[in-house]
Amino acid sequence: MDDVTKTDKMLARKDGRVGYVIFNNPERHNAVSLDMWAATRNILDRFVNDEEVRVVVLTGAGGKAFVSGADVSKFESERGTLDATRHYGATVEEAYAAVQQFPKPTIAMIRGYCIGGGVGLAVCCDLRICSDNSRFAVPAAKLGLGYGYAGLRRLIDVVGPAFAREIFFTARQFDAEEARHMGLINRVVPEAELETYVKNYAETIAANAPLTVKAVKYIVGEAMKDESERNLARCAELVEECFASNDFIEGRRAFMEKRKPAFTGR
């Protein structure tokens, strides 16, 4: 896979069965512009179709930030009018949806600042692992920004309504332990160990049966929807695909033979 997409501010690479989406704007703490959001979706579209990739890690370059939100320096050019703001919002939502609906497991590897749109991006991922020096905030109330239903719903689904209100009402920064207490973060690890920890975690997931993981991800997503919107038939189909797969046979044999299974996703 090429390292650079349509903008050099977004990088994509593979390490075995793990794909990486890297926000590469370190001089602005990985603030995200319109073309970066568009490139995010393009990278994910390519990883969807890459059978070698079983897990995707999203992270920021430079060691000081995951994503620090929108690039304020481009507000006049990208969000200077109501129409431009609507176009920007639609592009961002498409990127968020591409992450949330990605059929393979996603991990946000967070180091340093995770601000505004960075929090919005992180809660689209399945898992969030951060360094112990990370900081989290959604400063919309300090900028007069409006947040739509979809973004707030994703945050509420992760931290609940009480903490979602606190995050937005105060607009203050929370440290890593506060974020873990709220449920915003799955794991907090020492900064020096973050990359190795996430790599091992991703490889652990990648070694498991892809069809099982895919089915669980889909069903959890359906369970989070309103009852009238759930596709229970598709949930049942995905479970049946697991039991009808060669991987189910391989898993049983490996268990009986006391060896690690070699799953193929078929």
Side-chain angles (χ1 to χ4, degrees), residues 218 230-238:
Y218 182 87
R230 296 171 188 160
N231 188 343
L232 299 183
R234 179 58 180 156
C235 292
E237 287 176 2
L238 290 170

Side-chain angles (χ1 to χ4, degrees), residues 67-93:
V67 168
S68 62
D71 190 340
V72 179
S73 70
K74 295 195 175 185
F75 266 30
E76 288 300 316
S77 61
E78 295 183 349
R79 303 169 78 174
T81 67
L82 182 57
D83 285 344
T85 298
R86 287 172 175 165
H87 174 65
Y88 182 92
T91 303
V92 174
E93 183 55 36

Side-chain angles (χ1 to χ4, degrees), residues 46-113:
R46 293 158 67 188
F47 280 149
V48 165
N49 297 315
D50 190 333
E51 293 188 358
E52 290 182 357
V53 173
R54 295 189 181 179
V55 181
V56 168
V57 174
L58 289 84
T59 193
K64 294 184 178 180
F66 173 64
V67 168
S68 62
D71 190 340
V72 179
S73 70
K74 295 195 175 185
F75 266 30
E76 288 300 316
S77 61
E78 295 183 349
R79 303 169 78 174
T81 67
L82 182 57
D83 285 344
T85 298
R86 287 172 175 165
H87 174 65
Y88 182 92
T91 303
V92 174
E93 183 55 36
E94 287 175 0
Y96 284 165
V99 177
Q100 186 179 32
Q101 297 169 12
F102 193 73
K104 305 171 187 179
T106 54
I107 301 173
M109 181 170 70
I110 301 166
R111 177 186 284 110
Y113 293 108

Side-chain angles (χ1 to χ4, degrees), residues 44-259:
L44 289 171
D45 285 345
R46 293 158 67 188
F47 280 149
V48 165
N49 297 315
D50 190 333
E51 293 188 358
E52 290 182 357
V53 173
R54 295 189 181 179
V55 181
V56 168
V57 174
L58 289 84
T59 193
K64 294 184 178 180
F66 173 64
V67 168
S68 62
D71 190 340
V72 179
S73 70
K74 295 195 175 185
F75 266 30
E76 288 300 316
S77 61
E78 295 183 349
R79 303 169 78 174
T81 67
L82 182 57
D83 285 344
T85 298
R86 287 172 175 165
H87 174 65
Y88 182 92
T91 303
V92 174
E93 183 55 36
E94 287 175 0
Y96 284 165
V99 177
Q100 186 179 32
Q101 297 169 12
F102 193 73
K104 305 171 187 179
T106 54
I107 301 173
M109 181 170 70
I110 301 166
R111 177 186 284 110
Y113 293 108
C114 180
I115 308 295
V119 173
L121 178 66
V123 297
C124 292
C125 296
D126 297 310
L127 302 172
R128 289 157 294 280
I129 301 173
C130 78
S131 60
D132 53 9
N133 66 338
S134 295
R135 305 286 294 183
F136 303 83
V138 183
K142 292 184 177 180
L143 295 168
L145 300 177
Y147 257 70
Y149 175 84
L152 275 168
R153 176 60 188 266
R154 281 189 288 262
L155 180 63
I156 292 167
D157 285 345
V158 172
V159 303
F163 283 129
R165 293 188 191 103
E166 183 179 0
I167 289 169
F168 271 88
F169 290 176
T170 66
R172 75 174 182 87
Q173 289 191 10
F174 297 85
D175 63 27
E177 281 304 320
E178 288 178 297
R180 186 174 65 84
H181 175 71
M182 290 188 291
L184 182 58
I185 292 298
N186 294 83
R187 297 283 182 269
V188 178
V189 300
E191 182 186 9
E193 300 173 14
L194 180 65
E195 289 192 22
T196 299
Y197 187 95
V198 172
K199 176 180 170 62
N200 291 339
Y201 226 63
E203 289 177 347
T204 295
I205 296 170
N208 290 329
L211 293 177
T212 301
V213 173
K214 176 184 176 182
V216 169
K217 173 163 182 171
Y218 182 87
I219 294 170
V220 170
E222 293 301 290
M224 300 299 290
K225 295 179 181 179
D226 293 335
E227 187 173 358
S228 62
E229 298 176 357
R230 296 171 188 160
N231 188 343
L232 299 183
R234 179 58 180 156
C235 292
E237 287 176 2
L238 290 170
V239 172
E240 289 179 358
E241 287 177 11
C242 293
F243 287 117
S245 69
N246 291 327
D247 278 353
F248 181 46
I249 298 172
E250 167 64 9
R252 299 198 313 268
R253 287 176 176 171
F255 179 80
M256 296 299 294
E257 296 168 7
K258 298 182 180 180
R259 60 174 174 80

Side-chain angles (χ1 to χ4, degrees), residues 7-11 21-37 59-74 78 88 113:
T7 170
D8 61 1
K9 300 296 185 182
M10 292 300 302
L11 306 179
V21 180
I22 304 166
F23 291 79
N24 184 41
N25 191 14
E27 65 274 13
R28 293 190 177 276
H29 289 132
N30 298 321
V32 187
S33 58
L34 193 62
D35 57 348
M36 292 171 68
W37 286 122
T59 193
K64 294 184 178 180
F66 173 64
V67 168
S68 62
D71 190 340
V72 179
S73 70
K74 295 195 175 185
E78 295 183 349
Y88 182 92
Y113 293 108

